[in-house]
Amino acid sequence: MSSDLNHFQQTTNTVEEPLDLIRLSLDERIYVKMRNDRELRGRLHAYDQHLNMILGDVEETVTTVEIDEETYEEIYKSTKRNIPMLFVRGDGVVLVAPPLRVG
Amino acid sequence: MDQVLFEKLLIFVVTPNNTNCALEFYVSELVDKCIGSRIHIVMKNDKEIVGTLLGFDDFVNMVLEDVTEFEITPEGRRITKLDQILLNGNNITMLIPGGEGPEV
């Protein structure tokens, strides 16, 4: 296997910069809000300074708004799908947080 | 998703980790494991591409073969292309290894 993983950056246990907050969530489930009305909930396996991420066991939610032709009301619809493993490109990420808990 | 590929990726991803490893290398190596398999690429606009991954570069531009292109909004219309395409990595949102695309 060609993995030469001597590319470790310095490790510290204190939170010094915003990316350190994400480090605290490694291997935990997180919530990611992305551009284009997408949300992901999954387990964070890896990330980098661009916020590229590798997530496992993911549920993706895409939200769309339809306007009714007659009543002009906004109908919000969301579509979900489950994906076992995926790579997220960092420039689409808007926010990263622990999963939302209700109540 | 292809079970063998999934397990390979999971082992790779889960193994070394309580440090912020330089993910640039992780990403290349993860994508490298997908070469030869089907990959499902979600773009920034409502478009998804499914194909066999032949190769990629540092910017995650990708060369794909046996490609199907899906437009998501108009009831999942399909455009099928063969031979090879070079996909510009700028507009990629997500990569799903072994995926077969949106259900249509």
Side-chain angles (χ1 to χ4, degrees):
Chain A
M1 181 129 36
S2 65
S3 303
D4 177 29
L5 290 172
N6 292 333
H7 320 297
F8 295 94
Q9 295 166 10
Q10 66 188 78
T11 42
T12 167
N13 289 327
T14 60
V15 173
E16 284 162 0
E17 53 170 31
L19 283 183
D20 292 336
L21 275 181
I22 302 185
R23 176 165 49 80
L24 299 178
S25 297
L26 265 178
D27 216 36
E28 307 277 345
R29 291 196 71 80
I30 55 164
Y31 164 75
V32 178
K33 184 191 253 259
M34 296 176 65
R35 301 179 66 180
N36 281 27
D37 304 309
R38 279 181 212 270
E39 298 160 279
L40 302 174
R41 280 180 174 76
R43 186 172 302 275
L44 178 64
H45 286 298
Y47 70 97
D48 69 0
Q49 72 273 25
H50 306 297
L51 256 38
N52 295 327
M53 293 187 277
I54 298 175
L55 298 177
D57 194 19
V58 182
E59 180 196 66
E60 176 204 40
T61 307
V62 181
T63 305
T64 56
V65 187
E66 288 172 19
I67 313 266
D68 189 310
E69 297 287 324
E70 296 143 33
T71 66
Y72 295 108
E73 64 179 310
E74 296 172 340
I75 308 165
Y76 286 84
K77 292 193 180 168
S78 61
T79 323
K80 295 194 192 220
R81 59 179 166 178
N82 288 301
I83 302 161
M85 175 82 60
L86 64 79
F87 158 73
V88 181
R89 194 178 153 110
D91 62 9
V93 174
V94 169
L95 78 83
V96 179
L100 305 170
R101 281 182 238 271
V102 179
Chain B
M1 183 181 185
D2 179 38
Q3 194 58 28
V4 170
L5 174 62
F6 174 61
E7 276 162 16
K8 243 194 330 177
L9 296 174
L10 192 57
I11 291 168
F12 172 74
V13 155
V14 169
T15 310
N17 225 346
N18 50 357
T19 64
N20 175 13
C21 308
L23 218 215
E24 297 89 52
F25 301 100
Y26 253 143
V27 166
S28 310
E29 298 192 43
L30 181 78
V31 181
D32 189 69
K33 290 195 183 312
C34 300
I35 288 182
S37 308
R38 298 294 281 173
I39 190 164
H40 169 197
I41 299 165
V42 179
M43 313 295 287
K44 290 196 172 117
N45 47 16
D46 292 318
K47 199 170 278 207
E48 305 191 7
I49 307 256
V50 177
T52 304
L53 179 61
L54 296 182
F56 67 99
D57 66 6
D58 286 343
F59 307 101
V60 201
N61 296 318
M62 308 181 90
V63 177
L64 302 164
E65 183 173 65
D66 194 9
V67 172
T68 309
E69 175 183 347
F70 295 85
E71 305 251 9
I72 294 307
T73 332
E75 310 116 19
R77 194 162 26 101
R78 232 177 287 210
I79 306 157
T80 310
K81 300 174 287 207
L82 186 45
D83 290 348
Q84 295 172 8
I85 69 162
L86 168 65
L87 180 68
N88 189 330
N90 260 330
N91 296 306
I92 292 176
T93 286
M94 304 193 298
L95 300 180
I96 305 170
E100 276 307 322
E103 284 89 45
V104 171

